[in-house]
Amino acid sequence: APETRPYAPSSPYSASKAAADHLVMSWHRTYSIPAIISHSANNYGPGQFPEKLIPLMVSNALRHLPLPIYGNGHQIRDWLYVVDHVKALVDIIQRGQIGERYNIAGGNQYRNIDVVTLITKLLDKLAPEQLGGLKSYSELICYVTDRAGHDVRYALDASKLSNQLGWYPMTSFEFGLSDTVSWYIEMENSR
């Protein structure tokens, strides 16, 4: 969605984020506080908080715990490698226009079930010695009741950022995911 699309939160969590954006822009308009807002696709990469999808799936798989997928797993998310996000933020801070909103997207839209399946395939290749009695880590995938108000799709249009500031994501999802999974394997094995 472009930056001009009206907010349409579907859960208290997304409503609180929308409210924060409105509050920031009201301070900008009323008191000339220099503000720029960025909206980001789902970030991933080494060091991410362990409750997030990718680190949770890696950690659970290596411990032979269930890999819970909400609903049917067909929720679509765009994935942005953290290094690409940081580079976009630097560009926005250095050259972005005060009072503007910028979307930062990775251009990597995948269903949640497909991301988890990719993770299990990487783990089969990168950590086969930890499979134990499993033929594949994919055997751990299970489905759980979907969250209330769970959005089916998050998609952002980052063309404004690309057109105005020349930013594009540099990391392919395949490389970024492999790098991330490798990092979490190393962290799990160093415990």
Side-chain angles (χ1 to χ4, degrees):
E3 291 85 350
T4 55
R5 186 174 177 178
Y7 290 77
S10 59
S11 70
Y13 171 70
S14 59
S16 69
K17 293 194 313 184
D21 284 2
H22 290 308
L23 185 61
V24 167
M25 291 314 289
S26 71
W27 278 82
H28 167 69
R29 285 186 208 101
T30 304
Y31 301 110
S32 300
I33 301 294
I36 301 173
I37 292 177
S38 70
H39 298 128
S40 172
N42 281 23
N43 276 225
Y44 71 99
Q48 188 174 29
F49 194 70
E51 78 172 6
K52 296 299 184 180
L53 180 70
I54 294 171
L56 179 66
M57 294 300 129
V58 174
S59 176
N60 278 12
L62 293 174
R63 296 174 187 181
H64 293 196
L65 297 173
L67 306 180
I69 305 292
Y70 286 121
N72 62 11
H74 290 193
Q75 305 86 351
I76 297 172
R77 300 293 180 262
D78 183 22
W79 295 91
L80 176 66
Y81 192 62
V82 65
V83 173
D84 288 332
H85 189 184
V86 170
K87 289 177 181 176
L89 292 173
V90 169
D91 285 349
I92 290 168
I93 290 167
Q94 291 177 343
R95 297 180 288 123
Q97 296 296 309
I98 300 297
E100 291 292 322
R101 293 189 293 166
Y102 294 93
N103 289 337
I104 309 170
N108 300 301
Q109 293 183 32
Y110 289 88
R111 298 180 315 168
N112 287 346
I113 185 61
D114 296 331
V115 172
V116 175
T117 300
L118 287 170
I119 291 168
T120 62
K121 287 179 181 178
L122 282 167
L123 287 168
D124 288 347
K125 185 172 86 175
L126 298 172
E129 68 284 353
Q130 292 174 251
L131 276 164
L134 299 171
K135 291 180 184 175
S136 169
Y137 290 101
S138 64
E139 295 173 47
L140 299 169
I141 293 173
C142 64
Y143 296 88
V144 297
T145 303
D146 208 351
R147 295 187 333 221
H150 199 187
D151 290 314
V152 174
R153 182 176 181 170
Y154 296 154
L156 296 173
D157 175 358
S159 59
K160 177 179 177 179
L161 182 61
S162 299
N163 293 337
Q164 289 185 9
L165 305 183
W167 177 88
Y168 294 91
M170 302 301 292
T171 308
S172 72
F173 187 65
E174 294 74 19
F175 174 83
L177 187 62
S178 179
D179 182 58
T180 301
V181 169
S182 295
W183 188 88
Y184 282 103
I185 291 170
E186 187 178 321
M187 291 301 104
E188 281 293 319
N189 291 338
S190 67
R191 288 182 181 200

